Amino acid sequence: MKDSHGRTIDYLRISLTDRCNLRCIYCMPDEGVDQMSHEDILRIEEIEQAVRVAAQMGITRVRLTGGEPLVRKGVVDLIRSIKNTPGIEHIAMTTNGVLLPRMAEELKDAGLSRVNISLDTLDPDQFAMITRRGRLEDTLAGIEAALEVGFDPVKINAVTVRSLNQDYLAFAKLSIDRPLHVRFIEYMPVGESSGATGCGWGKEDVVPSEELIEIIDARAQAEGMGPLVAAGGTRPEGWGPARYYAFADALGTVGFISPLSRHFCSECNRLRLTADGKLRPCLFSDVEFDLREALRENDEAAAKAVFAEALGAKPDDHHDKVGTERGMSQIGG
């Protein structure tokens, strides 16, 4: 299906829950967000219905997000149902990886084909600080589990924050010996219009991707390595705007996602469905359309009308607006 700017929209991101087993400082406060009531959250059968309607309108790819999607009861059966929905070709998930060691195999068997694992630092102490309650070894074990069961691709999402002084080259080198696709994402101040949820970060913490490439290349050269070059055969199949590079003979790639320094709105192919049933045409806008009511009334025609309305409201660009009133855990990324 096409939006009013001629872009093909074939990708739906669905937040299964606003809850999470971590408390990352840029995503939610230490005490957590005011959690949505059980009644407000879409039921599993309503999510299934939303996917059926979306598929009829041209959505072919679905990504499950959160909060942390793996804390949602019934997620495996939901994946199996989505996999069997006519028109849906691929199902992916974005997760913090903590629960993957015990769930990866059944997720793969149910029809999940690819995972993105959030990992912002390789320093154990810094990881504990960022997540407030997480352990680096748990997420690293999740990455190993994802590779072992054969998810393809396995991508690592690292938000770059200047004041964290992350070891970007160490991240990039994860792609050399294993088919991991490390993607650096410019920090986006999202939530409460400024992105500040107690982390103390601001626009000055954004590291533009072009600067980041220069940093990685300089540090690689200092270690006697060659620079990053445009990825060839190792480039992963993707649904989004990452630009991929690779080190010579690497099994994986290094990607860069630049929502602030290089707008990719002209390439946007997605709608977002929040856990409480609101369709969002744009991550950086609080314009939402209520799909839940149509789903609760089992009114397929009304649900299609909501999708059409959201599609028609997709802006041509976010025009440097990066703040929203909802935090990332509530939006679903």
Side-chain angles (χ1 to χ4, degrees), residues 49 53 291 293-305:
Q49 183 182 9
V53 171
L291 183 64
E293 182 177 357
L295 297 174
R296 295 258 157 108
E297 294 178 357
N298 198 26
D299 189 336
E300 184 175 296
K304 287 183 177 180

Side-chain angles (χ1 to χ4, degrees), residues 284-328:
F284 294 118
S285 170
D286 284 310
V287 174
E288 297 179 334
F289 299 88
D290 185 11
L291 183 64
R292 187 178 64 194
E293 182 177 357
L295 297 174
R296 295 258 157 108
E297 294 178 357
N298 198 26
D299 189 336
E300 184 175 296
K304 287 183 177 180
V306 176
F307 268 99
E309 189 176 10
L311 188 69
K314 277 190 70 65
D316 65 329
D317 196 289
H318 60 75
H319 300 289
D320 293 321
K321 173 177 169 52
V322 295
T324 72
E325 296 306 314
R326 292 231 220 184
M328 192 65 81

Side-chain angles (χ1 to χ4, degrees), residues 148-178:
E148 286 174 7
V149 302
F151 286 126
D152 184 23
V154 176
K155 297 179 180 179
I156 308 301
N157 288 348
V159 176
T160 57
V161 181
R162 194 177 300 278
S163 58
L164 286 181
N165 194 30
Q166 296 139 297
D167 190 339
Y168 304 128
L169 180 59
F171 264 115
K173 287 165 70 174
L174 293 176
S175 69
I176 295 177
D177 297 326
R178 294 179 295 173

Side-chain angles (χ1 to χ4, degrees), residues 11-271:
Y11 177 19
L12 179 64
R13 297 176 66 104
I14 303 173
S15 174
L16 300 185
T17 178
D18 61 336
R19 303 186 182 199
C20 188
N21 47 1
L22 301 180
R23 292 289 183 271
C24 295
I25 59 178
Y26 57 79
C27 190
M28 61 174 68
D30 192 12
E31 66 276 12
V33 297
D34 292 333
Q35 293 180 343
M36 300 173 190
S37 70
H38 181 73
E39 181 63 24
D40 288 337
I41 296 289
L42 288 179
R43 297 186 286 268
I44 290 294
E45 58 268 25
E46 291 169 341
I47 297 172
E48 293 171 343
Q49 183 182 9
V51 171
R52 288 194 297 270
V53 171
Q56 291 170 22
M57 299 191 69
I59 294 294
T60 61
R61 297 173 286 187
V62 171
R63 177 174 296 278
L64 304 178
T65 71
E68 169 50 45
L70 292 181
V71 304
R72 177 69 191 261
K73 292 181 179 179
V75 63
V76 174
D77 288 337
L78 173 63
I79 290 169
R80 188 173 292 111
S81 174
I82 294 174
K83 177 68 174 179
N84 292 326
T85 301
I88 299 300
E89 299 173 1
H90 299 285
I91 312 167
M93 177 179 287
T94 297
T95 171
N96 59 37
V98 171
L99 297 176
L100 280 178
R102 72 169 185 251
M103 296 184 69
E105 188 169 355
E106 60 180 336
L107 292 166
K108 185 74 162 54
D109 290 344
L112 189 69
S113 58
R114 52 179 65 202
V115 291
N116 290 9
I117 300 174
S118 300
L119 176 63
D120 299 320
T121 180
L122 295 173
D123 178 89
D125 292 335
Q126 192 174 66
F127 185 93
M129 181 274 292
I130 293 173
T131 64
R132 290 195 179 100
R133 60 183 60 179
R135 301 190 312 161
L136 176 62
E137 56 263 40
D138 292 337
T139 293
L140 294 180
I143 293 170
E144 292 301 326
L147 290 171
E148 286 174 7
V149 302
F151 286 126
D152 184 23
V154 176
K155 297 179 180 179
I156 308 301
N157 288 348
V159 176
T160 57
V161 181
R162 194 177 300 278
S163 58
L164 286 181
N165 194 30
Q166 296 139 297
D167 190 339
Y168 304 128
L169 180 59
F171 264 115
K173 287 165 70 174
L174 293 176
S175 69
I176 295 177
D177 297 326
R178 294 179 295 173
L180 287 174
H181 304 279
V182 179
R183 289 119 54 82
F184 293 107
I185 305 171
E186 291 176 349
Y187 169 61
M188 297 176 287
V190 172
E192 298 179 0
S193 296
S194 66
T197 54
C199 63
W201 301 337
K203 292 183 179 180
E204 67 278 4
D205 284 298
V206 176
V207 184
S209 294
E210 297 304 325
E211 177 185 346
L212 185 54
I213 293 172
E214 292 177 0
I215 292 172
I216 293 172
D217 280 348
R219 293 181 181 174
Q221 184 176 9
E223 291 194 9
M225 300 170 57
L228 290 169
V229 297
T234 57
R235 176 187 172 92
E237 179 186 350
W239 310 343
R243 293 175 291 156
Y244 287 100
Y245 299 78
F247 291 116
D249 300 321
L251 297 180
T253 62
V254 181
F256 298 87
I257 300 177
S258 319
L260 301 186
S261 67
R262 177 182 173 269
H263 290 197
F264 40 75
C265 300
S266 63
E267 306 163 28
C268 186
N269 60 349
R270 66 198 64 182
L271 292 171

